[in-house]
Amino acid sequence: MSDIIATLERLGVNQPFVSTHVSGRAVVGKGLSVSPSSPIDGASLDAFPGATEGDVEEAVEAARSAFERWRSVPAPVRGQFVRRLGDRLRQHKQDLAAVVTWEAGKIVQEALGEVQEMIDICEFAVGLSRQLYGLSIASERPAHRLTEQWHPLGPVGVITAFNFPVAVWAWNAAIALVCGDPVVWKPSERTPLCALACHALATSVAREMDEVPDGLVSVVIGDREAGQALARNPQVPLVSATGSVPMGRAVAQTVAARLGRSLLELGGNNAMIVTPSADLELALRAAVFSAVGTCGQRCTSLRRLIVHQSVVREFVQRLRGVYENLPIGDPRQTDTLVGPLIDSGAARAMATALEAAQAQGGKVSGGQRRHSGVPEGGAYVEPAIVEIGADAAILQTETFAPILYVIPYENLDQAIAIHNGVPQGLASAIFTNDVREAERFCSLAGSDCGIANVNIGTSGAEIGGAFGGEKDTGGGRESGSDAWKAYMRRATNTINYSTDLPLAQGIKFDV
């Protein structure tokens, strides 16, 4: 316990942990208590007050005030703030990753990778700060210029989940900040210390720059009511929310009721197709990481493995062999590949799903709780493989745990139908050495997901591409490509530099 406290202090987070609403350098909190604990062994730090609706309103008001100044700061200067934030993250990469491991249960390599993802998106955003450009459009009227501009939108609310407690905030914050938008962050109540550590680093950078106003980055820590208060606030034109489908629906309905914008990253239920021509060794390695990485608690985790009937027996046999030797245990140990589930509730959900799968004809391997060789107080499980038919009802539901359903198929049409036959649509993959199968999978007649990969797993997206999915996944796009447009408002401009006033569509209206 003393180690994590010392780590937090190096990051600028000091006891007592009373921070729930951080506006500039002020810290207040009056709501229900939040008590961070570690999924490693259940160890807890002191509880501190959670945010009330009034705290959320105060943070939003501070952000609104900051917006009046920040939007007028030249975008490349805004980019310099994000560049310095990326530099600060590099300096504290090991410490911040240690907090992620302690509070989210991620193994060392994945925690370090998550912080690196923050650094990468900062680099991307710095370049973006000089590329927030619109279009020049051909006008149908003589001596007229038709263009579009992109302007800062306003305070952005960011609601994040426990499984990526720092990277998803960075995806949103780095882009929003260079676009001219302040950020109010409501992290998962399971990972408040990760949020406070990020905020401490961001405010330490802000104090070094005269251009950065107070209230530019804020944190409100609390339960779902704090998130709903953020979603309800009419001064927040965009709410970006990551989490479960029910959570996303609640946020979307609240934001839509006031005609605001929502950017949603919700459930995955991702699948991989393995064809007869596939490199089975490559597919095996990809399937294992995608299925058991973060103990199956990624939105991009592999849930369904659709394998051609000619290779399914061999593939499952090899998969079981790897699963039987997976190092499961304390995520702080460098040789561990599978850490704990976030809590005992997640373990119960996994057990319930496996019982349902068996009742629906599934053959289950693994899935037991692990009690020996792991820290006491944590929810450690053995990843499960379930051989099951394509019509099983359990396949329609995503369980946030390392359960991999293996489904045989006969032909590619059937495989794609199985693949697309679920409500979610985030990440997908096909393993094949047939270029026609690969192109079919990526085509409009193939995967219906926002991410479609060939010969690479469902997990591990790069920040350069837009991240997000379709259907119940919510339709949002974050991170790279032109995802920045969600954080800005578009203005179409028509400039007449003639002495005439021709109307569009050839309309005559002489007065």
Side-chain angles (χ1 to χ4, degrees):
M1 188 63 63
S2 60
D3 289 346
I4 196 64
I5 292 173
T7 300
L8 288 164
E9 289 176 346
R10 287 195 296 272
L11 290 164
V13 182
N14 300 309
Q15 286 186 295
F17 302 119
V18 298
S19 178
T20 57
H21 154 212
V22 186
S23 172
R25 300 170 190 90
V27 181
V28 297
K30 316 175 189 70
L32 297 176
S33 65
V34 174
S35 180
S37 61
S38 176
I40 297 172
D41 56 7
S44 297
L45 296 180
D46 292 338
F48 52 88
T52 64
E53 184 161 0
D55 295 327
V56 175
E57 289 177 356
E58 189 177 345
V60 171
E61 183 55 39
R64 187 69 198 179
S65 178
F67 178 61
E68 299 297 322
R69 283 187 54 196
W70 188 242
R71 66 183 178 181
S72 298
V73 174
V77 178
R78 301 195 295 252
Q80 289 307 304
F81 172 63
V82 175
R83 179 185 63 78
R84 293 189 187 190
L85 175 59
D87 290 342
R88 197 62 45 90
L89 289 167
R90 281 189 183 88
Q91 294 169 14
H92 295 277
K93 181 177 178 178
Q94 297 288 335
D95 280 343
L96 185 54
V99 179
V100 171
T101 293
W102 187 88
E103 201 169 41
K106 285 194 170 183
I107 64 171
V108 171
Q109 281 297 308
E110 290 193 76
L112 288 168
E114 181 166 354
V115 180
Q116 184 61 47
E117 195 164 8
M118 301 175 77
I119 296 166
D120 293 344
I121 196 65
C122 286
E123 289 185 349
F124 178 89
V126 173
L128 180 64
S129 69
R130 294 181 180 270
Q131 300 180 70
L132 300 173
Y133 45 74
L135 298 173
S136 180
I137 304 162
S139 174
E140 66 185 67
R141 290 169 284 192
H144 282 60
R145 181 163 59 87
L146 185 61
T147 63
E148 69 176 24
Q149 296 185 76
W150 293 88
H151 297 304
L153 181 64
V156 173
V158 179
I159 301 172
T160 58
F162 75 87
N163 59 330
F164 277 86
V166 295
V168 172
W169 169 76
W171 286 359
N172 286 275
I175 304 299
L177 288 168
V178 299
C179 288
D181 305 329
V183 175
V184 181
W185 182 14
K186 203 302 266 187
S188 168
E189 56 269 36
R190 290 167 167 165
T191 54
L193 297 177
C194 288
L196 296 181
C198 292
H199 184 268
L201 294 176
T203 52
S204 71
V205 174
R207 286 192 289 268
E208 300 170 355
M209 295 184 65
D210 293 337
E211 299 89 347
V212 178
D214 283 353
L216 185 65
V217 286
S218 298
V219 176
V220 287
I221 293 171
D223 57 14
R224 67 182 302 274
E225 290 304 319
Q228 280 294 311
L230 187 58
R232 280 192 299 270
N233 197 299
Q235 299 300 313
V236 181
L238 172 66
V239 176
S240 174
T242 301
S244 69
V245 173
M247 181 280 294
R249 284 202 177 101
V251 168
Q253 290 168 10
T254 300
V255 175
R258 59 177 178 82
L259 300 181
R261 302 186 197 176
S262 56
L263 193 166
L264 303 176
E265 299 288 357
L266 310 176
N269 203 2
N270 313 292
M272 174 194 295
I273 297 172
V274 180
T275 70
S277 69
D279 181 330
L280 294 188
E281 179 62 27
L282 198 66
L284 180 68
R285 289 159 52 199
V288 172
F289 172 69
S290 296
V292 309
T294 322
C295 200
Q297 297 170 113
R298 289 184 175 220
C299 51
T300 55
S301 289
L302 181 62
R303 311 293 180 195
R304 297 173 297 132
L305 187 62
I306 305 164
V307 187
H308 192 268
Q309 59 187 11
S310 65
V311 294
V312 66
R313 181 177 298 180
E314 176 189 356
F315 199 80
V316 170
Q317 184 178 3
R318 295 174 67 174
L319 193 62
R320 283 201 195 107
V322 174
Y323 269 42
E324 288 170 0
N325 293 292
L326 284 171
I328 302 169
D330 190 330
R332 295 168 296 189
Q333 303 300 318
T334 56
D335 59 346
T336 298
L337 293 183
V338 182
L341 289 168
I342 190 65
D343 56 26
S344 58
R348 289 192 296 271
M350 179 176 177
T352 299
L354 291 175
E355 289 174 5
Q358 281 188 308
Q360 295 167 26
K363 179 183 176 182
V364 178
S365 302
Q368 295 84 10
R369 286 289 294 267
R370 178 71 67 88
H371 297 287
S372 62
V374 299
E376 292 184 14
Y380 294 85
V381 296
E382 297 177 1
I385 299 169
V386 182
E387 298 171 76
I388 199 165
D391 59 349
I394 192 66
L395 296 176
Q396 300 297 310
T397 304
E398 180 183 32
T399 302
F400 230 50
I403 301 175
L404 182 58
Y405 300 104
V406 181
I407 308 149
Y409 77 92
E410 295 180 4
N411 57 64
L412 188 59
D413 286 343
Q414 182 189 32
I416 291 175
I418 294 169
H419 177 281
N420 293 348
V422 296
Q424 308 85 356
L426 178 54
S428 61
I430 188 170
F431 275 76
T432 179
N433 283 324
D434 186 328
V435 68
R436 292 169 298 182
E437 291 178 330
E439 292 292 343
R440 167 77 185 283
F441 184 75
C442 294
S443 77
L444 56 86
S447 168
D448 64 359
C449 295
I451 298 170
N453 297 333
V454 176
N455 293 335
I456 191 172
T458 57
S459 279
E462 298 181 26
I463 58 93
F467 181 91
E470 302 301 325
K471 303 188 290 186
D472 279 4
T473 301
R477 293 297 185 275
E478 293 173 326
S479 194
S481 186
D482 65 348
W484 60 270
K485 293 179 178 179
Y487 304 86
M488 304 197 81
R489 62 179 180 86
R490 186 195 314 244
T492 300
N493 309 135
T494 305
I495 297 94
N496 177 8
Y497 55 94
S498 75
T499 57
D500 297 321
L501 191 65
L503 299 178
Q505 294 83 47
I507 294 173
K508 301 299 182 182
F509 194 82
D510 297 325
V511 293

PDB file of all heavy atoms in Angstrom, residues 169-199:
ATOM      1  N   TRP A 169      -9.454   8.643 -21.938  1.00  0.00           N
ATOM      2  CA  TRP A 169      -9.482  10.071 -21.633  1.00  0.00           C
ATOM      3  C   TRP A 169      -8.524  10.811 -22.564  1.00  0.00           C
ATOM      4  O   TRP A 169      -8.870  11.869 -23.112  1.00  0.00           O
ATOM      5  CB  TRP A 169      -9.084  10.324 -20.178  1.00  0.00           C
ATOM      6  CG  TRP A 169      -8.852  11.782 -19.901  1.00  0.00           C
ATOM      7  CD1 TRP A 169      -9.792  12.756 -19.747  1.00  0.00           C
ATOM      8  CD2 TRP A 169      -7.568  12.441 -19.772  1.00  0.00           C
ATOM      9  NE1 TRP A 169      -9.186  13.982 -19.531  1.00  0.00           N
ATOM     10  CE2 TRP A 169      -7.825  13.813 -19.550  1.00  0.00           C
ATOM     11  CE3 TRP A 169      -6.245  11.999 -19.827  1.00  0.00           C
ATOM     12  CZ2 TRP A 169      -6.789  14.743 -19.369  1.00  0.00           C
ATOM     13  CZ3 TRP A 169      -5.220  12.921 -19.657  1.00  0.00           C
ATOM     14  CH2 TRP A 169      -5.507  14.272 -19.426  1.00  0.00           C
ATOM     15  N   ALA A 170      -7.342  10.279 -22.755  1.00  0.00           N
ATOM     16  CA  ALA A 170      -6.354  10.941 -23.605  1.00  0.00           C
ATOM     17  C   ALA A 170      -6.820  11.015 -25.050  1.00  0.00           C
ATOM     18  O   ALA A 170      -6.590  12.025 -25.734  1.00  0.00           O
ATOM     19  CB  ALA A 170      -5.006  10.222 -23.513  1.00  0.00           C
ATOM     20  N   TRP A 171      -7.460   9.940 -25.550  1.00  0.00           N
ATOM     21  CA  TRP A 171      -7.997   9.988 -26.907  1.00  0.00           C
ATOM     22  C   TRP A 171      -8.868  11.227 -27.093  1.00  0.00           C
ATOM     23  O   TRP A 171      -8.773  11.932 -28.089  1.00  0.00           O
ATOM     24  CB  TRP A 171      -8.892   8.779 -27.177  1.00  0.00           C
ATOM     25  CG  TRP A 171      -8.223   7.478 -27.386  1.00  0.00           C
ATOM     26  CD1 TRP A 171      -6.889   7.198 -27.390  1.00  0.00           C
ATOM     27  CD2 TRP A 171      -8.886   6.239 -27.624  1.00  0.00           C
ATOM     28  NE1 TRP A 171      -6.689   5.867 -27.612  1.00  0.00           N
ATOM     29  CE2 TRP A 171      -7.888   5.254 -27.756  1.00  0.00           C
ATOM     30  CE3 TRP A 171     -10.222   5.877 -27.739  1.00  0.00           C
ATOM     31  CZ2 TRP A 171      -8.194   3.922 -28.003  1.00  0.00           C
ATOM     32  CZ3 TRP A 171     -10.532   4.545 -27.981  1.00  0.00           C
ATOM     33  CH2 TRP A 171      -9.525   3.577 -28.112  1.00  0.00           C
ATOM     34  N   ASN A 172      -9.752  11.432 -26.117  1.00  0.00           N
ATOM     35  CA  ASN A 172     -10.690  12.547 -26.198  1.00  0.00           C
ATOM     36  C   ASN A 172     -10.028  13.871 -25.863  1.00  0.00           C
ATOM     37  O   ASN A 172     -10.185  14.867 -26.573  1.00  0.00           O
ATOM     38  CB  ASN A 172     -11.869  12.307 -25.249  1.00  0.00           C
ATOM     39  CG  ASN A 172     -12.827  11.246 -25.748  1.00  0.00           C
ATOM     40  OD1 ASN A 172     -13.725  11.544 -26.526  1.00  0.00           O
ATOM     41  ND2 ASN A 172     -12.622  10.011 -25.323  1.00  0.00           N
ATOM     42  N   ALA A 173      -9.272  13.904 -24.759  1.00  0.00           N
ATOM     43  CA  ALA A 173      -8.729  15.167 -24.267  1.00  0.00           C
ATOM     44  C   ALA A 173      -7.720  15.767 -25.232  1.00  0.00           C
ATOM     45  O   ALA A 173      -7.757  16.970 -25.521  1.00  0.00           O
ATOM     46  CB  ALA A 173      -8.099  14.969 -22.894  1.00  0.00           C
ATOM     47  N   ALA A 174      -6.801  14.963 -25.745  1.00  0.00           N
ATOM     48  CA  ALA A 174      -5.770  15.500 -26.632  1.00  0.00           C
ATOM     49  C   ALA A 174      -6.391  16.131 -27.871  1.00  0.00           C
ATOM     50  O   ALA A 174      -5.993  17.226 -28.300  1.00  0.00           O
ATOM     51  CB  ALA A 174      -4.787  14.397 -27.028  1.00  0.00           C
ATOM     52  N   ILE A 175      -7.373  15.454 -28.449  1.00  0.00           N
ATOM     53  CA  ILE A 175      -8.023  15.983 -29.643  1.00  0.00           C
ATOM     54  C   ILE A 175      -8.888  17.192 -29.291  1.00  0.00           C
ATOM     55  O   ILE A 175      -8.842  18.231 -29.971  1.00  0.00           O
ATOM     56  CB  ILE A 175      -8.873  14.896 -30.326  1.00  0.00           C
ATOM     57  CG1 ILE A 175      -8.013  13.662 -30.661  1.00  0.00           C
ATOM     58  CG2 ILE A 175      -9.549  15.444 -31.568  1.00  0.00           C
ATOM     59  CD1 ILE A 175      -6.887  13.923 -31.608  1.00  0.00           C
ATOM     60  N   ALA A 176      -9.693  17.077 -28.232  1.00  0.00           N
ATOM     61  CA  ALA A 176     -10.573  18.186 -27.856  1.00  0.00           C
ATOM     62  C   ALA A 176      -9.766  19.443 -27.546  1.00  0.00           C
ATOM     63  O   ALA A 176     -10.153  20.554 -27.939  1.00  0.00           O
ATOM     64  CB  ALA A 176     -11.426  17.784 -26.655  1.00  0.00           C
ATOM     65  N   LEU A 177      -8.663  19.296 -26.842  1.00  0.00           N
ATOM     66  CA  LEU A 177      -7.884  20.465 -26.432  1.00  0.00           C
ATOM     67  C   LEU A 177      -7.292  21.208 -27.626  1.00  0.00           C
ATOM     68  O   LEU A 177      -7.301  22.443 -27.669  1.00  0.00           O
ATOM     69  CB  LEU A 177      -6.784  20.041 -25.460  1.00  0.00           C
ATOM     70  CG  LEU A 177      -7.279  19.638 -24.066  1.00  0.00           C
ATOM     71  CD1 LEU A 177      -6.177  18.956 -23.274  1.00  0.00           C
ATOM     72  CD2 LEU A 177      -7.833  20.843 -23.304  1.00  0.00           C
ATOM     73  N   VAL A 178      -6.761  20.486 -28.621  1.00  0.00           N
ATOM     74  CA  VAL A 178      -6.225  21.197 -29.783  1.00  0.00           C
ATOM     75  C   VAL A 178      -7.354  21.784 -30.629  1.00  0.00           C
ATOM     76  O   VAL A 178      -7.143  22.764 -31.341  1.00  0.00           O
ATOM     77  CB  VAL A 178      -5.300  20.304 -30.651  1.00  0.00           C
ATOM     78  CG1 VAL A 178      -4.117  19.821 -29.860  1.00  0.00           C
ATOM     79  CG2 VAL A 178      -6.053  19.158 -31.285  1.00  0.00           C
ATOM     80  N   CYS A 179      -8.543  21.210 -30.526  1.00  0.00           N
ATOM     81  CA  CYS A 179      -9.698  21.754 -31.246  1.00  0.00           C
ATOM     82  C   CYS A 179     -10.259  22.998 -30.564  1.00  0.00           C
ATOM     83  O   CYS A 179     -11.142  23.657 -31.124  1.00  0.00           O
ATOM     84  CB  CYS A 179     -10.791  20.700 -31.370  1.00  0.00           C
ATOM     85  SG  CYS A 179     -10.415  19.373 -32.551  1.00  0.00           S
ATOM     86  N   GLY A 180      -9.787  23.316 -29.353  1.00  0.00           N
ATOM     87  CA  GLY A 180     -10.226  24.513 -28.653  1.00  0.00           C
ATOM     88  C   GLY A 180     -11.255  24.269 -27.576  1.00  0.00           C
ATOM     89  O   GLY A 180     -11.889  25.215 -27.094  1.00  0.00           O
ATOM     90  N   ASP A 181     -11.419  23.002 -27.158  1.00  0.00           N
ATOM     91  CA  ASP A 181     -12.468  22.644 -26.207  1.00  0.00           C
ATOM     92  C   ASP A 181     -11.901  22.263 -24.846  1.00  0.00           C
ATOM     93  O   ASP A 181     -11.006  21.406 -24.778  1.00  0.00           O
ATOM     94  CB  ASP A 181     -13.260  21.439 -26.726  1.00  0.00           C
ATOM     95  CG  ASP A 181     -13.828  21.660 -28.109  1.00  0.00           C
ATOM     96  OD1 ASP A 181     -14.138  22.819 -28.440  1.00  0.00           O
ATOM     97  OD2 ASP A 181     -13.965  20.666 -28.856  1.00  0.00           O
ATOM     98  N   PRO A 182     -12.408  22.823 -23.755  1.00  0.00           N
ATOM     99  CA  PRO A 182     -12.084  22.310 -22.417  1.00  0.00           C
ATOM    100  C   PRO A 182     -12.697  20.917 -22.231  1.00  0.00           C
ATOM    101  O   PRO A 182     -13.599  20.510 -22.974  1.00  0.00           O
ATOM    102  CB  PRO A 182     -12.741  23.328 -21.477  1.00  0.00           C
ATOM    103  CG  PRO A 182     -12.991  24.527 -22.318  1.00  0.00           C
ATOM    104  CD  PRO A 182     -13.241  24.030 -23.704  1.00  0.00           C
ATOM    105  N   VAL A 183     -12.215  20.206 -21.218  1.00  0.00           N
ATOM    106  CA  VAL A 183     -12.657  18.828 -20.976  1.00  0.00           C
ATOM    107  C   VAL A 183     -13.046  18.656 -19.512  1.00  0.00           C
ATOM    108  O   VAL A 183     -12.279  19.024 -18.612  1.00  0.00           O
ATOM    109  CB  VAL A 183     -11.551  17.812 -21.347  1.00  0.00           C
ATOM    110  CG1 VAL A 183     -11.977  16.394 -20.981  1.00  0.00           C
ATOM    111  CG2 VAL A 183     -11.221  17.908 -22.831  1.00  0.00           C
ATOM    112  N   VAL A 184     -14.238  18.107 -19.288  1.00  0.00           N
ATOM    113  CA  VAL A 184     -14.693  17.715 -17.951  1.00  0.00           C
ATOM    114  C   VAL A 184     -14.787  16.199 -17.952  1.00  0.00           C
ATOM    115  O   VAL A 184     -15.560  15.619 -18.708  1.00  0.00           O
ATOM    116  CB  VAL A 184     -16.048  18.348 -17.597  1.00  0.00           C
ATOM    117  CG1 VAL A 184     -16.477  17.931 -16.192  1.00  0.00           C
ATOM    118  CG2 VAL A 184     -15.984  19.867 -17.699  1.00  0.00           C
ATOM    119  N   TRP A 185     -14.016  15.546 -17.100  1.00  0.00           N
ATOM    120  CA  TRP A 185     -13.864  14.081 -17.110  1.00  0.00           C
ATOM    121  C   TRP A 185     -14.575  13.453 -15.924  1.00  0.00           C
ATOM    122  O   TRP A 185     -14.310  13.809 -14.781  1.00  0.00           O
ATOM    123  CB  TRP A 185     -12.376  13.766 -17.079  1.00  0.00           C
ATOM    124  CG  TRP A 185     -11.999  12.312 -17.140  1.00  0.00           C
ATOM    125  CD1 TRP A 185     -12.785  11.250 -17.468  1.00  0.00           C
ATOM    126  CD2 TRP A 185     -10.702  11.765 -16.880  1.00  0.00           C
ATOM    127  NE1 TRP A 185     -12.064  10.082 -17.437  1.00  0.00           N
ATOM    128  CE2 TRP A 185     -10.785  10.372 -17.074  1.00  0.00           C
ATOM    129  CE3 TRP A 185      -9.476  12.338 -16.507  1.00  0.00           C
ATOM    130  CZ2 TRP A 185      -9.687   9.538 -16.894  1.00  0.00           C
ATOM    131  CZ3 TRP A 185      -8.386  11.504 -16.340  1.00  0.00           C
ATOM    132  CH2 TRP A 185      -8.488  10.120 -16.524  1.00  0.00           C
ATOM    133  N   LYS A 186     -15.478  12.499 -16.221  1.00  0.00           N
ATOM    134  CA  LYS A 186     -16.087  11.667 -15.191  1.00  0.00           C
ATOM    135  C   LYS A 186     -15.558  10.246 -15.397  1.00  0.00           C
ATOM    136  O   LYS A 186     -16.054   9.490 -16.219  1.00  0.00           O
ATOM    137  CB  LYS A 186     -17.613  11.695 -15.304  1.00  0.00           C
ATOM    138  CG  LYS A 186     -18.348  11.341 -13.979  1.00  0.00           C
ATOM    139  CD  LYS A 186     -18.004   9.983 -13.402  1.00  0.00           C
ATOM    140  CE  LYS A 186     -18.969   8.924 -13.842  1.00  0.00           C
ATOM    141  NZ  LYS A 186     -18.699   7.609 -13.125  1.00  0.00           N
ATOM    142  N   PRO A 187     -14.511   9.858 -14.654  1.00  0.00           N
ATOM    143  CA  PRO A 187     -13.955   8.510 -14.820  1.00  0.00           C
ATOM    144  C   PRO A 187     -14.822   7.466 -14.117  1.00  0.00           C
ATOM    145  O   PRO A 187     -15.723   7.804 -13.336  1.00  0.00           O
ATOM    146  CB  PRO A 187     -12.592   8.621 -14.150  1.00  0.00           C
ATOM    147  CG  PRO A 187     -12.806   9.640 -13.069  1.00  0.00           C
ATOM    148  CD  PRO A 187     -13.794  10.630 -13.622  1.00  0.00           C
ATOM    149  N   SER A 188     -14.520   6.215 -14.380  1.00  0.00           N
ATOM    150  CA  SER A 188     -15.176   5.135 -13.639  1.00  0.00           C
ATOM    151  C   SER A 188     -14.887   5.293 -12.154  1.00  0.00           C
ATOM    152  O   SER A 188     -13.764   5.606 -11.756  1.00  0.00           O
ATOM    153  CB  SER A 188     -14.655   3.776 -14.114  1.00  0.00           C
ATOM    154  OG  SER A 188     -15.071   2.742 -13.234  1.00  0.00           O
ATOM    155  N   GLU A 189     -15.907   5.057 -11.337  1.00  0.00           N
ATOM    156  CA  GLU A 189     -15.703   5.130  -9.891  1.00  0.00           C
ATOM    157  C   GLU A 189     -14.772   4.027  -9.394  1.00  0.00           C
ATOM    158  O   GLU A 189     -14.292   4.070  -8.252  1.00  0.00           O
ATOM    159  CB  GLU A 189     -17.039   5.052  -9.147  1.00  0.00           C
ATOM    160  CG  GLU A 189     -17.889   3.850  -9.439  1.00  0.00           C
ATOM    161  CD  GLU A 189     -18.863   4.068 -10.594  1.00  0.00           C
ATOM    162  OE1 GLU A 189     -18.502   4.771 -11.572  1.00  0.00           O
ATOM    163  OE2 GLU A 189     -19.982   3.516 -10.516  1.00  0.00           O
ATOM    164  N   ARG A 190     -14.466   3.047 -10.261  1.00  0.00           N
ATOM    165  CA  ARG A 190     -13.516   1.993  -9.895  1.00  0.00           C
ATOM    166  C   ARG A 190     -12.061   2.435 -10.070  1.00  0.00           C
ATOM    167  O   ARG A 190     -11.158   1.805  -9.517  1.00  0.00           O
ATOM    168  CB  ARG A 190     -13.776   0.755 -10.752  1.00  0.00           C
ATOM    169  CG  ARG A 190     -15.069   0.029 -10.415  1.00  0.00           C
ATOM    170  CD  ARG A 190     -15.388  -0.962 -11.497  1.00  0.00           C
ATOM    171  NE  ARG A 190     -16.441  -1.893 -11.104  1.00  0.00           N
ATOM    172  CZ  ARG A 190     -17.109  -2.677 -11.951  1.00  0.00           C
ATOM    173  NH1 ARG A 190     -16.813  -2.617 -13.245  1.00  0.00           N
ATOM    174  NH2 ARG A 190     -18.043  -3.488 -11.525  1.00  0.00           N
ATOM    175  N   THR A 191     -11.833   3.467 -10.862  1.00  0.00           N
ATOM    176  CA  THR A 191     -10.457   3.892 -11.140  1.00  0.00           C
ATOM    177  C   THR A 191     -10.270   5.399 -10.957  1.00  0.00           C
ATOM    178  O   THR A 191      -9.750   6.087 -11.851  1.00  0.00           O
ATOM    179  CB  THR A 191     -10.048   3.480 -12.573  1.00  0.00           C
ATOM    180  OG1 THR A 191     -11.034   3.988 -13.500  1.00  0.00           O
ATOM    181  CG2 THR A 191      -9.938   1.975 -12.708  1.00  0.00           C
ATOM    182  N   PRO A 192     -10.647   5.945  -9.804  1.00  0.00           N
ATOM    183  CA  PRO A 192     -10.507   7.402  -9.610  1.00  0.00           C
ATOM    184  C   PRO A 192      -9.064   7.865  -9.492  1.00  0.00           C
ATOM    185  O   PRO A 192      -8.741   8.984  -9.886  1.00  0.00           O
ATOM    186  CB  PRO A 192     -11.281   7.650  -8.311  1.00  0.00           C
ATOM    187  CG  PRO A 192     -11.197   6.349  -7.565  1.00  0.00           C
ATOM    188  CD  PRO A 192     -11.262   5.296  -8.631  1.00  0.00           C
ATOM    189  N   LEU A 193      -8.189   7.031  -8.937  1.00  0.00           N
ATOM    190  CA  LEU A 193      -6.809   7.469  -8.736  1.00  0.00           C
ATOM    191  C   LEU A 193      -6.074   7.630 -10.064  1.00  0.00           C
ATOM    192  O   LEU A 193      -5.218   8.512 -10.204  1.00  0.00           O
ATOM    193  CB  LEU A 193      -6.072   6.492  -7.828  1.00  0.00           C
ATOM    194  CG  LEU A 193      -6.630   6.393  -6.405  1.00  0.00           C
ATOM    195  CD1 LEU A 193      -5.873   5.349  -5.604  1.00  0.00           C
ATOM    196  CD2 LEU A 193      -6.579   7.745  -5.706  1.00  0.00           C
ATOM    197  N   CYS A 194      -6.410   6.788 -11.039  1.00  0.00           N
ATOM    198  CA  CYS A 194      -5.835   6.959 -12.378  1.00  0.00           C
ATOM    199  C   CYS A 194      -6.200   8.336 -12.927  1.00  0.00           C
ATOM    200  O   CYS A 194      -5.365   9.036 -13.514  1.00  0.00           O
ATOM    201  CB  CYS A 194      -6.358   5.874 -13.321  1.00  0.00           C
ATOM    202  SG  CYS A 194      -5.693   4.216 -13.017  1.00  0.00           S
ATOM    203  N   ALA A 195      -7.457   8.731 -12.713  1.00  0.00           N
ATOM    204  CA  ALA A 195      -7.916  10.030 -13.207  1.00  0.00           C
ATOM    205  C   ALA A 195      -7.211  11.167 -12.483  1.00  0.00           C
ATOM    206  O   ALA A 195      -6.793  12.154 -13.103  1.00  0.00           O
ATOM    207  CB  ALA A 195      -9.428  10.137 -13.051  1.00  0.00           C
ATOM    208  N   LEU A 196      -7.088  11.045 -11.183  1.00  0.00           N
ATOM    209  CA  LEU A 196      -6.433  12.104 -10.417  1.00  0.00           C
ATOM    210  C   LEU A 196      -4.959  12.231 -10.791  1.00  0.00           C
ATOM    211  O   LEU A 196      -4.407  13.340 -10.826  1.00  0.00           O
ATOM    212  CB  LEU A 196      -6.578  11.842  -8.923  1.00  0.00           C
ATOM    213  CG  LEU A 196      -8.011  11.874  -8.382  1.00  0.00           C
ATOM    214  CD1 LEU A 196      -8.015  11.624  -6.881  1.00  0.00           C
ATOM    215  CD2 LEU A 196      -8.692  13.193  -8.707  1.00  0.00           C
ATOM    216  N   ALA A 197      -4.323  11.104 -11.097  1.00  0.00           N
ATOM    217  CA  ALA A 197      -2.924  11.153 -11.520  1.00  0.00           C
ATOM    218  C   ALA A 197      -2.785  11.872 -12.863  1.00  0.00           C
ATOM    219  O   ALA A 197      -1.902  12.722 -13.041  1.00  0.00           O
ATOM    220  CB  ALA A 197      -2.357   9.739 -11.608  1.00  0.00           C
ATOM    221  N   CYS A 198      -3.664  11.551 -13.808  1.00  0.00           N
ATOM    222  CA  CYS A 198      -3.630  12.233 -15.105  1.00  0.00           C
ATOM    223  C   CYS A 198      -3.904  13.721 -14.939  1.00  0.00           C
ATOM    224  O   CYS A 198      -3.251  14.563 -15.566  1.00  0.00           O
ATOM    225  CB  CYS A 198      -4.657  11.622 -16.051  1.00  0.00           C
ATOM    226  SG  CYS A 198      -4.284   9.943 -16.581  1.00  0.00           S
ATOM    227  N   HIS A 199      -4.870  14.034 -14.098  1.00  0.00           N
ATOM    228  CA  HIS A 199      -5.211  15.435 -13.895  1.00  0.00           C
ATOM    229  C   HIS A 199      -4.063  16.198 -13.257  1.00  0.00           C
ATOM    230  O   HIS A 199      -3.782  17.344 -13.617  1.00  0.00           O
ATOM    231  CB  HIS A 199      -6.460  15.563 -13.036  1.00  0.00           C
ATOM    232  CG  HIS A 199      -6.913  16.973 -12.870  1.00  0.00           C
ATOM    233  ND1 HIS A 199      -6.514  17.755 -11.819  1.00  0.00           N
ATOM    234  CD2 HIS A 199      -7.678  17.758 -13.661  1.00  0.00           C
ATOM    235  CE1 HIS A 199      -7.030  18.953 -11.957  1.00  0.00           C
ATOM    236  NE2 HIS A 199      -7.744  18.988 -13.060  1.00  0.00           N
TER     237      HIS A 199
END
